[in-house]
Amino acid sequence: MESIKGYVERIVFRNNENGYTVMALNVDGKEKSCVGIFHYIGEGEYVKVSGEYVNHPSYGSQLKVEEYEIITPEDEISMIRYLGSGAIKGIKTSTATKIVNRFKQDTFRIMEEEPERLAEIKGISIKKAMEISEQMEEKKDLRKAMIFLSGYGISMALAVKIYNFYGPAIYEIVKVNPYKMADDIDGIGFKIADEIASHVGISADSDFRIKSGILYALQQNGMNGNVYMPKEMLKTQARELLGLSDIDLDKHLMDMSIDKRIIIKEEQVYASNFYYTELSIARSLVDLNAKSNTDEKKILKKLHQVEEEEGIALEEMQERAVIESVKCGLLIITGGPGTGKTTTIKTIIRYFESEGLEMMLAAPTGRAAKRMKEATGMEAQTIHRMLELNGNPEEDNKNTQFERNELNPLETDVIIIDEMSMVDIFLMQALLKAVAPGTRLILVGDINQLPSVGPGNVLKDIIRSGRFNVVKLEKIFRQAATSDIVINAHKINKGENVDLNRRSRDFLFIKRDDPDAIIAASLTLLKEKLPPYVEADINEIQVLTPTRKGMLGVERINEILQKYLNPPSSDKVEKEVMKGIFREGDKVMQIKNDYQLEWEVRGKYNVVMDSGMGVFNGDVGIIRTINLETEYLEVEFEDSKFVIYTFKQLDELELAYAITIHKSQGSEYPAVIMPMYQGPKMLMNRNLLYTAVTRAKKCVCMVGVPQIFAYMEENDKEQTRYSGLKDRIVEIEE
């Protein structure tokens, strides 16, 4: 086994979940590549590592580290390198040299025990000397906490978060009540806290453990879209989770209710924040639901003028929608494909423009906002952007806030929100807080689309409450009636038989019996048949599949499609990542909202025409450049928006030749290919099938087993969502 000492010059790659790190170690001025599991290590640390050398096909000789320790540099040159490496902020190499030349081998003891003596060095004040000492102590304490927490399997990123939250109190919390961490810190769930508790000897029937387990069960159900749980179901799940079949949970539920950690409404049990979020939404909706006494005849006269000017003729329910939008503070417009929602919205916009009113348009995702803008000819943005989000919710929910709220409402007369089926309770609450009294709010959506990823059933609950004006558009227009996509989408929704053998220009079913044959047929469609047929680039055509895993899941299909659509080549740089390989020319998707990522629009000769911040979950682009030396990757998204990612940010991207149907919500593609093969029963339902079909503009191609299509169409059992917004609205109105 080889052993070397040196300081960490550069972290090349780190997986924050498991600690796997690739780093460059400076050993006597020479750079050595090391790989291994490091629970905590930072650039500038001085380390001793031991292991065996291996030869990596891309990166050459590397030391595969089996053991390591962070040590205090013992020679003066190593001390200078450590202090000047950036490990201690405010000390550059020149200052580090002065310090070590003055104090020699005693340097680190002086810095920790007699920091005021650092002021003997020219350029270091007493204040700066104390700051340097504090950093030395903090690094020592943080490292100690990292090692302590890593013993419980906690990742480095999470350990830093825990230490930053509690500081030195972490040891007492772990010893007395580790379940407190599950309450206080995002990313620490019950299971991590439970693992720690078992190590420190906390009993299985501890009150702390039981109450934390109950909250965890509620939170897990929230991740599945539920706002509350039926009491008996919660008790059953909590007992299974805790492994305590005989425990009486009613007492603990009552205690938690008294402490306001949960809210119990008859047989409904809520985590407190979920209940108060729904209650807040209900109150805001009722407050906005004002009605005016405007004469309908006057509205109709103005409406007919707008129709004449725009050259359109609305049917009865579309006209009703426009009238209600003028008369009501709150209006919901719903309908399936081809029923004229877009024409109705455009007419509402033109009507209000003629009245001199200001409007704002928004949708839950970037792609949905772009579609809204293209359809209406008016600027549209994401709801998050409209509300001026401050911070990144993916990284730190608790410090994320919207600049627009009840104290700083949106300054407009009318707000129109599209794709409302995608909006969860938390986004809805934030939106309503920013809507000033007297502002008209118009919500548009298709209740038969997949529900929001986050908790709640907002659009359906608002409609089912029966307390607000809802206009349902059902007539399929003549132009849309020629499309089998539209006709069959409505048949699927109603559970009517779809003839898969019928020759159609835009709805095709290709029979294949096994996964590999399905992928082969899909490849032929992608490479040869569909691009000229729908007059679209191959990257605009989307493969949609219900699952991530399995023979026809996103992960396997992407691996195969990448191999055939963008194979390895000597002129294409590629980068190995935890999920596989990224290669220049690959189609990729942003998989979380990142409001800090910068983009720029480039024109001829790469001249920057526009710039801004924010790349959103579901945005799709092409990898244009990978630079292994500077460690960045550049993606071109739609509208010629270029975004540079550091290699540390690549966990925000994944291949997108195929994506899940859930990820396609709010998007539209020239053509869609959907594998039809057996999968998890909870996913193989009518709702999912309907959503996939309605993503296609010009052609949808099903490839696979006809019986699977029939099963999905017949299976109208959506996964039950427990949401109480309807009940909260009714309670307030009574």
Side-chain angles (χ1 to χ4, degrees):
M1 188 181 289
E2 298 273 350
S3 291
I4 54 176
K5 293 178 184 177
Y7 70 92
V8 181
E9 193 163 80
R10 191 171 74 260
I11 301 291
V12 178
F13 172 81
R14 172 183 282 155
N15 181 325
N16 284 327
E17 289 308 308
N18 59 22
Y20 178 78
T21 304
V22 181
M23 66 184 184
L25 201 66
N26 188 310
V27 181
D28 298 326
K30 294 180 182 177
E31 194 173 280
K32 300 275 187 180
S33 180
C34 300
V35 298
I37 304 296
F38 297 87
H39 291 298
Y40 170 74
I41 204 160
E43 291 180 352
E45 300 283 6
Y46 195 76
V47 294
K48 178 182 179 182
V49 294
S50 303
E52 302 291 343
Y53 281 99
V54 295
N55 198 50
H56 190 280
S58 300
Y59 303 112
S61 177
Q62 294 181 317
L63 184 69
K64 188 175 181 182
V65 177
E66 295 174 23
E67 298 174 1
Y68 80 97
E69 61 177 314
I70 298 169
I71 57 178
T72 303
E74 59 279 297
D75 65 273
E76 292 173 18
I77 291 174
S78 295
M79 288 180 181
I80 292 169
R81 283 177 180 160
Y82 172 75
L83 292 174
S85 69
I88 304 297
K89 290 177 186 174
I91 298 183
K92 295 181 180 177
T93 304
S94 57
T95 307
T97 304
K98 290 177 188 175
I99 294 171
V100 175
N101 284 345
R102 178 62 178 266
F103 299 115
K104 308 294 183 186
Q105 295 288 322
D106 216 18
T107 294
F108 287 112
R109 188 195 65 77
I110 295 287
M111 293 177 82
E112 290 173 6
E113 297 176 13
E114 302 177 64
E116 66 279 359
R117 289 191 59 192
L118 292 175
E120 296 172 16
I121 308 295
K122 189 176 180 181
I124 299 181
S125 64
I126 284 289
K127 182 182 177 184
K128 187 173 180 181
M130 301 313 291
E131 286 174 355
I132 290 169
S133 177
E134 284 172 14
Q135 281 191 66
M136 291 286 286
E137 194 62 35
E138 280 173 14
K139 280 187 79 72
K140 195 162 71 174
D141 289 346
L142 176 60
R143 188 183 303 135
K144 181 183 171 188
M146 297 289 116
I147 295 166
F148 172 73
L149 292 168
S150 71
Y152 300 108
I154 294 174
S155 71
M156 288 179 295
L158 211 47
V160 171
K161 211 171 184 180
I162 294 168
Y163 182 79
N164 287 343
F165 193 92
Y166 294 118
I170 181 60
Y171 305 103
E172 184 69 15
I173 286 164
V174 166
K175 183 180 175 184
V176 176
N177 177 19
Y179 298 101
K180 181 173 170 52
M181 292 190 291
D183 291 346
D184 293 340
I185 300 172
D186 291 332
I188 294 280
F190 170 79
K191 293 199 171 178
I192 292 176
D194 207 34
E195 179 76 16
I196 295 170
S198 68
H199 278 83
V200 297
I202 292 174
S203 66
D205 60 355
S206 150
D207 280 359
F208 290 140
R209 181 171 187 263
I210 292 168
K211 289 174 182 177
S212 183
I214 289 169
L215 278 178
Y216 178 74
L218 287 171
Q219 288 160 0
Q220 286 299 105
N221 275 271
M223 291 173 68
N224 293 329
N226 297 307
V227 182
Y228 71 84
M229 286 183 71
K231 188 186 287 185
E232 290 307 314
M233 180 189 289
L234 172 62
K235 286 158 71 173
T236 299
Q237 285 192 17
R239 286 191 184 104
E240 288 175 5
L241 173 71
L242 296 163
L244 300 169
S245 55
D246 300 330
I247 193 80
D248 178 13
L249 293 178
D250 286 316
K251 173 188 174 298
H252 294 92
L253 288 170
M254 186 56 65
D255 288 346
M256 293 173 75
S257 176
I258 291 168
D259 292 339
K260 300 293 184 187
R261 295 177 76 186
I262 62 172
I263 303 293
I264 302 174
K265 299 288 288 185
E266 296 177 358
E267 292 303 304
Q268 302 172 356
V269 184
Y270 288 82
S272 292
N273 62 321
F274 280 47
Y275 174 79
Y276 289 115
T277 299
E278 277 197 338
L279 190 61
S280 167
I281 293 169
R283 283 177 176 150
S284 297
L285 289 170
V286 170
D287 289 345
L288 284 172
N289 193 31
K291 294 181 175 65
S292 73
N293 296 320
T294 311
D295 187 345
E296 276 197 24
K297 289 180 182 178
K298 288 183 180 178
I299 298 172
L300 271 171
K301 184 179 177 182
K302 189 72 173 275
L303 173 57
H304 291 149
Q305 268 184 314
V306 172
E307 288 181 84
E308 191 175 330
E309 288 167 7
E310 297 294 321
I312 54 176
L314 302 183
E315 58 91 24
E316 183 185 352
M317 292 311 293
Q318 288 178 305
E319 281 199 348
R320 176 48 50 191
V322 180
I323 292 167
E324 295 300 327
S325 73
V326 178
K327 293 178 67 176
C328 303
L330 176 65
L331 173 67
I332 297 91
I333 301 172
T334 184
T339 57
K341 291 196 300 294
T342 299
T343 303
T344 305
I345 294 171
K346 284 170 70 175
T347 309
I348 290 170
I349 290 169
R350 301 297 170 256
Y351 186 101
F352 285 134
E353 279 180 339
S354 72
E355 293 281 292
L357 299 182
E358 292 186 16
M359 283 165 285
M360 298 183 86
L361 275 58
T365 67
R367 291 188 74 116
K370 184 184 176 188
R371 280 180 56 205
M372 197 179 188
K373 179 181 176 181
E374 290 169 350
T376 63
M378 185 175 171
E379 188 61 41
Q381 55 194 322
T382 65
I383 299 172
H384 288 88
R385 181 67 67 201
M386 181 176 72
L387 298 179
E388 299 175 21
L389 183 106
N390 177 14
N392 194 335
E394 301 289 343
E395 291 179 1
D396 193 351
N397 285 314
K398 291 181 180 177
N399 290 329
T400 296
Q401 58 184 13
F402 293 101
E403 295 296 325
R404 294 291 181 173
N405 50 42
E406 60 270 48
L407 301 177
N408 182 28
L410 295 164
E411 296 167 8
T412 187
D413 300 304
V414 183
I415 298 170
I416 304 176
I417 307 294
D418 199 8
E419 295 288 355
M420 267 299 299
S421 63
M422 299 174 68
V423 176
D424 66 23
I425 59 170
F426 297 117
L427 186 55
M428 188 64 181
Q429 182 191 38
L431 170 66
L432 291 171
K433 280 183 176 181
V435 179
T439 303
R440 289 182 176 88
L441 180 62
I442 300 168
L443 309 176
V444 185
D446 181 352
I447 58 170
N448 296 306
Q449 296 285 354
L450 289 170
S452 58
V453 174
N457 228 342
V458 173
L459 182 62
K460 280 186 179 177
D461 279 356
I462 292 172
I463 292 172
R464 287 171 179 168
S465 73
R467 297 299 200 267
F468 307 107
N469 274 21
V470 178
V471 176
K472 189 170 184 181
L473 304 177
E474 295 180 295
K475 179 182 176 181
I476 301 174
F477 284 84
R478 186 166 50 191
Q479 184 181 350
T482 62
S483 164
D484 284 331
I485 292 175
V486 173
I487 291 168
N488 289 337
H490 284 275
K491 283 185 175 180
I492 289 166
N493 194 34
K494 294 173 184 175
E496 296 175 1
N497 181 54
V498 174
D499 184 1
L500 299 181
N501 295 312
R502 181 178 180 273
R503 291 180 67 84
S504 170
R505 290 180 297 107
D506 62 359
F507 193 97
L508 312 174
F509 197 100
I510 299 166
K511 296 178 184 178
R512 293 292 185 272
D513 292 331
D514 68 83
D516 290 338
I518 290 170
I519 292 175
S522 299
L523 255 172
T524 303
L525 287 167
L526 265 174
K527 289 184 74 172
E528 301 170 23
K529 305 291 186 184
L530 283 175
Y533 186 66
V534 297
E535 299 175 323
D537 182 82
I538 189 170
N539 285 318
E540 294 179 277
I541 297 164
Q542 191 61 58
V543 177
L544 300 180
T545 184
T547 62
R548 291 196 60 82
K549 305 289 184 182
M551 294 297 284
L552 287 170
V554 162
E555 292 174 7
R556 182 169 185 259
I557 295 177
N558 270 325
E559 189 179 332
I560 295 170
L561 294 184
Q562 182 192 44
K563 179 181 175 183
Y564 287 98
L565 298 178
N566 189 32
S569 168
S570 58
D571 62 348
K572 291 178 186 171
V573 182
E574 56 185 51
K575 164 69 178 165
E576 191 173 349
V577 292
M578 292 300 290
K579 301 170 189 171
I581 289 172
F582 284 151
R583 186 175 295 130
E584 289 176 345
D586 272 337
K587 181 180 178 181
V588 291
M589 173 183 275
Q590 175 80 12
I591 58 171
K592 65 180 186 178
N593 292 331
D594 189 330
Y595 298 87
Q596 271 66 54
L597 265 180
E598 297 179 5
W599 53 262
E600 57 185 34
V601 176
R602 298 177 192 164
K604 199 173 181 182
Y605 307 117
N606 276 333
V607 174
V608 177
M609 312 294 288
D610 192 14
S611 63
M613 294 178 73
V615 183
F616 302 103
N617 189 353
D619 286 353
V620 173
I622 306 297
I623 297 175
R624 296 302 184 199
T625 310
I626 298 175
N627 191 317
L628 298 175
E629 290 185 5
T630 57
E631 297 184 356
Y632 76 79
L633 177 151
E634 188 172 62
V635 177
E636 181 182 2
F637 289 99
E638 292 176 354
D639 301 325
S640 299
K641 284 185 177 179
F642 286 82
V643 177
I644 292 176
Y645 293 80
T646 66
F647 283 0
K648 291 178 181 178
Q649 294 172 306
L650 295 186
D651 61 343
E652 296 189 16
L653 294 172
E654 67 180 23
L655 292 176
Y657 299 103
I659 64 174
T660 62
I661 296 167
H662 276 90
K663 282 285 186 187
S664 74
Q665 280 183 277
S667 299
E668 218 174 41
Y669 311 97
V672 161
I673 300 169
M674 184 180 175
M676 299 299 301
Y677 199 69
Q678 62 194 29
K681 288 185 178 180
M682 61 182 286
L683 287 177
M684 309 303 282
N685 60 33
R686 182 186 296 172
N687 196 213
L688 202 77
L689 182 61
Y690 173 82
T691 300
V693 168
T694 54
R695 298 307 90 204
K697 280 197 285 190
K698 295 183 179 179
C699 187
V700 61
C701 297
M702 309 276 183
V703 186
V705 182
Q707 290 85 343
I708 298 299
F709 181 97
Y711 174 82
M712 290 183 76
E713 188 183 22
E714 289 168 12
N715 180 16
D716 61 354
K717 291 185 174 64
E718 297 173 36
Q719 197 172 356
T720 302
R721 281 205 168 200
Y722 297 107
S723 62
L725 180 58
K726 174 191 165 186
D727 296 338
R728 303 291 82 77
I729 292 168
V730 171
E731 284 172 0
I732 289 172
E733 281 280 83
E734 285 177 349

